[in-house]
Amino acid sequence: MMSPQMLTPQQMQQILSPPQLQALLQQQQALMLQQLQEYYKKQQEQLHLQLLTQQQAGKQQPKEALGNKQLAFQQQLLQMQQLQQQHLLSLQRQGLVSLQPSQASGPLQTLPQAAVCPTDLPQLWKGEGAPGQPAEDSVKQEGLDLTGTAATATSFAAPPKVSPPLSHHPLPNGQPAVHTSRRDSSSHEETPGSHPLYGHGECKWPGCEALCEDLGQFIKHLNTEHALDDRSTAQCRVQMQVVQQLEIQLAKESERLQAMMAHLHMRPSEPKPFSQPVTVSADPFPDGLVHPPTSAAAPVTPLRPPGLGSAALHGGGPTRRRSSDKFCSPISSELAQNHEFYKNADVRPPFTYASLIRQAILETPDRQLTLNEIYNWFTRMFAYFRRNTATWKNAVRHNLSLHKCFVRVENVKGAVWTVDEREYQKRRPPKMTGSPTLVKNMISGLSYGALNASYQAALAESSFPLLNSPGMLNPGSASSLLSLSHEDMGTPGEPLPSNGSSSPPRLSPPQYSHQVQVKEEPAEAEEDRRPGPPLGHPNPSSLGPPPPEDRELEEELPGEELS
DNA sequence: GCAGCTATAAACATGT
DNA sequence: CACATGTTTATAGCTG
């Protein structure tokens, strides 16, 4: 009954951009909830029937007997509820349920979302209350207390994810209550000056949060409200599960991190043998960059989550550039993917002004824009730039004037700005670890033969539109969503600026559709941009193994028009 | 600490 | 004069 897609949640996250993820998750969430509801409804109906019959039967029976039956029933109900909770919990863990409304704020949040949303847990807990139990946590939290509802037969009507107002209880420290509950199992014993379940003046028992003036009062509360009973045990069990799941998640993430680090580290130092895998058949990319190994290569460690590609990378490797720089992340692919997101969310795009300007210019068929058109592109593409216009417009002008890569051309309709790719590439020398001079040489076109993978990678990174995006690819399934990104990849480099008019800009519009294929693109244009004999282009063949990472570079290419 | 890159702010010039 | 467009300078934060 799972999701249509076979991807694991993590994979999806890697592949999808935050907005996409959200949309997808919401869909799935709706679907699953529906299924769940049906399932539980049936169960509850059965239980009700059972209860009725029991009650009727009970009329003739002594009170005690009835009590026992009811107890049994309650336990059954409890079990069912636990099952339900667990089910929901597992769904949550998978990220399929209960995305918080609040989260949409930024792209960066994607990753974290993957795991169980801590804030959701308390809710779960609340729902966990055993039916028959006395009211409970006394503190009836505003908003949601599922406690009551859960107990009743209708519980699922209100699936956890609901209640927006939820969570709240803003703990002073801002942490969800759950965090602290880790050791609840051991819970009941109190420690002298403090107690793991007590903090900031409140009980940290999952779902409780009752205020206690001091430890003594808390202890008392603990013993009365969280004594050893079915409910507490059940909560413990759930907590155990939570911990377990988190551990699993942690293990997975750690593994991923390791793989990423291992991968990134390679780049600087060694030419990297490994993976390079599969260079695509068509290799001879003019650009000399490595192309995406398509899915094949990568082990699973997608380099970057779509959304934040760059951000993720930066963290890891030694050689990364400033985070804001798009160099690391192909602006176009990222834009393509998160296009809608940036368009609507007031989030500052993780690209430099220069890269954005370049992108704007390259997206046009003529590869030239007037200042005003550039402004328009900014506002059209990014909600963020719909505000503070004075600031960013000044920055845009400043960048245009400052960077040699932006060339002002007098035109009939006034003056337009174009991009000089050569200059643009020059701007930042490859980061590599090697000697700077060497780098320079290479760049200048001298020793291209000598390039090693890292160099290439660096070059590529620097901007070529490149091609590959491993991350996205591998998840082969991400299909549709990814498609856009590919495009970009596909696009060849941008034509030389100089030729502005003539150049054949983006070549392949068509690629959109396909998902993962490597595109073989046209090698044509790209290369030229580089000065002279440049380096790189050497075909892949010569270079051998392109560093794995290159992929990341993907490209920023112009061609694709996002919007 | 330095260099390079970027963002931001602001002064100033020029043209419409 | 107001405004848009460009250029230039200064300053600060980051990162390698």
Side-chain angles (χ1 to χ4, degrees):
Chain A
M1 92 186 238
M2 277 319 208
S3 59
Q5 315 207 3
M6 314 301 279
L7 294 178
T8 65
Q10 287 97 342
Q11 286 177 319
M12 299 211 306
Q13 288 179 344
Q14 292 160 0
I15 304 165
L16 308 179
S17 63
Q20 292 170 335
L21 238 185
Q22 273 198 340
L24 196 82
L25 291 179
Q26 278 170 4
Q27 279 182 9
Q28 298 212 342
Q29 177 181 336
L31 225 152
M32 304 199 68
L33 281 174
Q34 209 178 339
Q35 293 178 333
L36 263 181
Q37 286 186 5
E38 283 177 29
Y39 173 75
Y40 289 119
K41 220 170 225 167
K42 282 182 188 171
Q43 289 231 340
Q44 293 222 349
E45 281 170 13
Q46 285 188 338
L47 284 173
H48 274 290
L49 271 177
Q50 211 175 332
L51 179 61
L52 279 177
T53 45
Q54 284 183 351
Q55 283 183 335
Q56 288 192 330
K59 285 178 185 173
Q60 291 113 312
Q61 297 182 350
K63 275 192 177 179
E64 294 179 353
L66 178 60
N68 285 337
K69 291 213 169 184
Q70 284 189 327
L71 198 77
F73 169 70
Q74 284 180 352
Q75 288 188 333
Q76 194 172 357
L77 187 60
L78 175 62
Q79 282 188 340
M80 195 202 81
Q81 285 181 343
Q82 283 184 323
L83 186 71
Q84 182 177 349
Q85 296 292 342
Q86 288 182 357
H87 198 154
L88 287 172
L89 185 61
S90 73
L91 287 180
Q92 275 192 324
R93 288 181 182 129
Q94 297 175 40
L96 296 176
V97 169
S98 101
L99 280 184
Q100 302 238 329
S102 55
Q103 354 211 138
S105 22
L108 295 186
Q109 303 180 348
T110 26
L111 285 182
Q113 290 178 6
V116 183
C117 186
T119 48
D120 290 341
L121 294 176
Q123 223 173 329
L124 262 182
W125 283 116
K126 289 177 184 165
E128 189 74 30
Q133 306 289 338
E136 176 27 7
D137 301 71
S138 51
V139 199
K140 224 92 196 206
Q141 340 257 15
E142 49 288 41
L144 63 151
D145 51 350
L146 293 180
T147 347
T149 45
T152 67
T154 55
S155 53
F156 23 64
K161 54 119 149 268
V162 197
S163 57
L166 128 75
S167 67
H168 348 10
H169 291 324
L171 295 183
N173 51 12
Q175 298 191 337
V178 191
H179 287 322
T180 51
S181 44
R182 278 263 185 120
R183 21 345 196 49
D184 332 89
S185 11
S186 56
S187 63
H188 303 200
E189 56 229 11
E190 40 264 19
T191 351
S194 62
H195 191 289
L197 288 174
Y198 178 63
H200 295 85
E202 51 183 51
C203 172
K204 304 230 165 173
W205 185 274
C208 179
E209 299 177 21
L211 297 175
C212 301
E213 314 249 76
D214 55 29
L215 195 63
Q217 193 182 332
F218 164 73
I219 301 290
K220 193 175 174 186
H221 160 82
L222 196 60
N223 290 328
T224 57
E225 301 298 329
H226 308 300
L228 178 60
D229 57 16
D230 289 346
R231 185 170 55 91
S232 297
T233 332
Q235 289 180 319
C236 261
R237 251 176 295 175
V238 174
Q239 181 64 23
M240 280 168 68
Q241 229 199 334
V242 169
V243 173
Q244 222 168 18
Q245 290 295 330
L246 288 174
E247 283 172 347
I248 292 172
Q249 179 79 22
L250 175 63
K252 282 182 185 170
E253 295 299 330
S254 295
E255 204 176 319
R256 186 189 303 175
L257 174 62
Q258 301 256 3
M260 288 170 74
M261 291 181 69
H263 172 73
L264 293 177
H265 278 217
M266 260 167 137
R267 154 189 279 205
S269 38
E270 1 193 291
K272 140 6 328 352
F274 119 5
S275 45
Q276 128 118 60
V278 190
T279 5
V280 182
S281 43
D283 295 284
F285 282 83
D287 44 308
L289 302 177
V290 183
H291 296 314
T294 1
S295 46
V300 178
T301 55
L303 290 183
R304 47 202 217 135
L308 349 157
S310 40
L313 290 179
H314 304 355
T319 48
R320 258 1 244 210
R321 271 178 191 22
R322 149 183 310 74
S323 55
S324 54
D325 193 339
K326 66 181 171 222
F327 301 158
C328 303
S329 72
I331 184 173
S332 47
S333 65
E334 156 134 16
L335 265 183
Q337 292 184 28
N338 299 325
H339 170 212
E340 284 301 320
F341 176 76
Y342 290 124
K343 206 166 174 175
N344 303 310
D346 188 16
V347 174
R348 182 178 182 119
F351 310 107
T352 60
Y353 282 113
S355 59
L356 288 172
I357 294 169
R358 172 174 171 268
Q359 182 65 26
I361 294 172
L362 295 180
E363 277 186 15
T364 65
D366 295 348
R367 308 240 152 174
Q368 54 178 229
L369 285 177
T370 61
L371 180 64
N372 201 40
E373 288 170 333
I374 293 173
Y375 289 159
N376 292 336
W377 184 86
F378 272 67
T379 51
R380 182 162 35 91
M381 303 295 288
F382 306 93
Y384 179 84
F385 293 119
R386 279 168 214 147
R387 299 193 304 156
N388 308 317
T389 59
T391 299
W392 66 262
K393 283 183 177 177
N394 183 25
V396 167
R397 289 194 305 273
H398 170 248
N399 274 267
L400 286 170
S401 292
L402 192 67
H403 300 301
K404 287 185 202 153
C405 58
F406 297 119
V407 183
R408 185 169 171 275
V409 178
E410 287 293 339
N411 200 356
V412 207
K413 50 181 193 174
V416 293
W417 289 92
T418 60
V419 179
D420 181 335
E421 277 302 316
R422 259 172 282 201
E423 285 295 329
Y424 185 81
Q425 308 302 344
K426 269 198 222 163
R427 282 201 307 151
R428 49 318 182 27
K431 53 190 139 224
M432 356 228 56
T433 52
S435 75
T437 48
L438 172 56
V439 176
K440 280 183 182 174
N441 289 338
M442 309 206 77
I443 293 185
S444 56
L446 303 179
S447 45
Y448 112 34
L451 293 184
N452 58 20
S454 356
Y455 264 116
Q456 292 192 335
L459 289 175
E461 194 166 358
S462 58
S463 55
F464 270 11
L466 271 266
L467 347 144
N468 3 294
S469 48
M472 349 202 62
L473 306 178
N474 53 2
S477 40
S479 49
S480 54
L481 295 173
L482 306 182
S483 56
L484 284 181
S485 54
H486 282 288
E487 271 179 278
D488 352 17
M489 313 176 42
T491 8
E494 26 270 33
L496 293 187
S498 44
N499 40 350
S501 50
S502 60
S503 60
R506 41 315 248 354
L507 353 140
S508 43
Q511 340 203 59
Y512 266 63
S513 38
H514 58 312
Q515 23 193 92
V516 183
Q517 300 217 216
V518 177
K519 69 291 233 33
E520 37 241 20
E521 280 241 261
E524 42 189 76
E526 325 228 28
E527 286 305 48
D528 11 326
R529 6 171 130 217
R530 264 134 190 272
L535 24 67
H537 355 1
N539 3 0
S541 47
S542 59
L543 308 171
E549 19 229 78
D550 323 53
R551 338 129 131 225
E552 33 186 85
L553 336 164
E554 270 199 359
E555 73 55 314
E556 9 198 287
L557 103 23
E560 67 272 25
E561 33 257 36
L562 325 164
S563 49

